[in-house]
């Protein structure tokens, strides 16, 4: 399926998505952010999420886990507020026909956005 759609964050358009592919319940598309800095932050948040999953698997003492967590935030140049972008924001897509769809479990990586519709 190849159509152009808009990605919205908190009711504001933030990216144009192209080459939409749907494998129910997941959708994937190439993202072109209107503000490249936002796309960069979201990519770093995705890298942090991967790190966090790996860290949880180590089952470290809480103080050591928190120290590693904070060090990774600093390494990636992220704030605690940045971590809310993917989970706490209201994401949606608007298709060419004007239909709006809620986006859940959004993830950004290498210029590709994936979400559960």
């Amino acid at each position: 399926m190849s159509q152009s759609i808009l990605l919205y964050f908190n009711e504001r358009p933030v990216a144009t998505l192209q080459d939409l592919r749907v494998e129910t319940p997941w959708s994937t598309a190439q993202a072109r952010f209107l503000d490249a800095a936002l796309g960069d932050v979201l990519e770093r948040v995705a890298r942090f999420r991967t790190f966090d999953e790996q860290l949880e698997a180590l089952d470290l003492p809480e103080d050591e886990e928190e120290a590693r967590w904070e060090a990774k935030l600093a390494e990636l140049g992220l704030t605690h507020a940045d971590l809310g972008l993917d989970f706490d924001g209201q994401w949606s897509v608007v298709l060419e026909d004007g239909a709006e769809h809620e986006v859940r479990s959004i993830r950004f990586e290498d210029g590709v956005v994936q979400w559960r519709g």
Side-chain angles (χ1 to χ4, degrees), residues 18-94:
Q18 297 177 324
D19 301 323
L20 175 65
R21 294 175 304 283
V22 178
E23 294 179 22
T24 304
W26 295 99
S27 297
T28 306
Q30 294 288 345
R32 221 174 260 145
F33 281 88
L34 304 175
D35 176 0
L38 176 60
D40 180 56
V41 169
L42 290 166
E43 294 250 354
R44 288 184 279 135
V45 168
R47 285 197 299 274
F48 183 83
R49 296 280 180 226
T50 299
F51 164 80
D52 191 37
E53 290 170 7
Q54 294 167 344
L55 185 61
E56 284 292 320
L58 296 176
D59 200 29
L60 298 171
E62 189 172 328
D63 58 338
E64 185 176 345
E65 183 176 301
E66 186 171 329
R68 288 187 186 194
W69 204 77
E70 292 296 333
K72 189 65 168 184
L73 275 178
E75 174 189 323
L76 293 171
L78 294 171
T79 66
H80 288 270
D82 292 332
L83 295 181
L85 289 173
D86 57 350
F87 290 156
D88 299 335
Q90 179 186 354
W91 293 93
S92 62
V93 292
V94 176

Side-chain angles (χ1 to χ4, degrees), residues 1-6 16-20 94-97:
M1 181 182 303
S2 182
Q3 59 178 279
S4 181
I5 58 178
L6 289 175
T16 301
L17 303 179
Q18 297 177 324
D19 301 323
L20 175 65
V94 176
L95 302 178
E96 286 178 327
D97 65 5

